[in-house]
Amino acid sequence: PQPPQLDEMPLPLLLPGRGGSAPSVAVLTLKEFIDLLAPKLDRDEEIYAISLGEAAGEFFGQDAADFVMGDGVLSAKSGQMVLGAVRSGVFGQQSELLSGALAQQVLSAVSSLLNNIGGEGRSGNLESTLDESMSKLSDSERARLDSIVQELTQRSIERATRRLEDVSRIIG
């Protein structure tokens, strides 16, 4: 018999608490979880997403385009890309986001694990492109980027929390 796909197996997932309460646990498949967080796009949204994917491909290569378009989001390659973006500072200054030796050790261990699972891939190329781009920003441009990333992150967290409010919980 063929083993079940990982995205079809029910798993206990820690979800944000309702109404500001403590986080709680629900049992969902990864497919159900992703469908809740990222519902199907309407036609205009899909055209916009395709444009973003094409722009990502133009600037950062096909792997980034595939990731932006949602292809292979749950893969070792996408994990490597996200880690590369984190290390390059796209998600905030490393001194803020990755302060401490423990955070650096975890980042290195996860990176090594992903490399062993999925091979080196081209995520190093993306990381070097991002590093180069980030180093060319002036202080005011960097501050503006940080502000935009923080605002988008906050909006995304709030939207995800709202979308997960009605999920039945087994604990909490």
Side-chain angles (χ1 to χ4, degrees), residues 6 20 72 78 96 148 150:
L6 178 61
S78 63
E96 298 166 11
I148 291 169
Q150 183 178 8

Side-chain angles (χ1 to χ4, degrees), residues 47-62 64-65 68-69:
I47 290 169
Y48 181 69
I50 290 169
S51 298
L52 287 177
E54 289 173 354
E58 184 79 21
F59 289 104
F60 302 114
Q62 190 59 43
V68 169
M69 302 281 284

Side-chain angles (χ1 to χ4, degrees), residues 38-116:
K40 299 291 181 207
L41 302 176
D42 65 29
R43 185 175 186 278
D44 290 338
E45 291 169 331
E46 194 166 334
I47 290 169
Y48 181 69
I50 290 169
S51 298
L52 287 177
E54 289 173 354
E58 184 79 21
F59 289 104
F60 302 114
Q62 190 59 43
D63 288 344
D66 291 344
F67 180 75
V68 169
M69 302 281 284
D71 297 336
V73 171
L74 295 176
S75 70
K77 186 184 295 186
S78 63
Q80 291 169 332
M81 288 173 37
V82 170
L83 284 175
V86 168
R87 283 193 297 250
S88 71
V90 169
F91 295 113
Q93 298 288 358
Q94 283 196 16
S95 58
E96 298 166 11
L97 187 62
L98 300 174
S99 60
L102 181 58
Q104 290 296 327
Q105 288 175 343
V106 169
L107 189 61
S108 294
V110 171
S111 181
S112 175
L113 177 66
L114 290 172
N115 285 338
N116 289 334

Side-chain angles (χ1 to χ4, degrees), residues 25-46:
V25 177
V27 176
L28 298 167
T29 66
L30 291 178
K31 182 178 180 345
E32 292 169 331
F33 181 70
I34 290 170
D35 288 345
L36 285 168
L37 288 179
K40 299 291 181 207
L41 302 176
D42 65 29
R43 185 175 186 278
D44 290 338
E45 291 169 331
E46 194 166 334

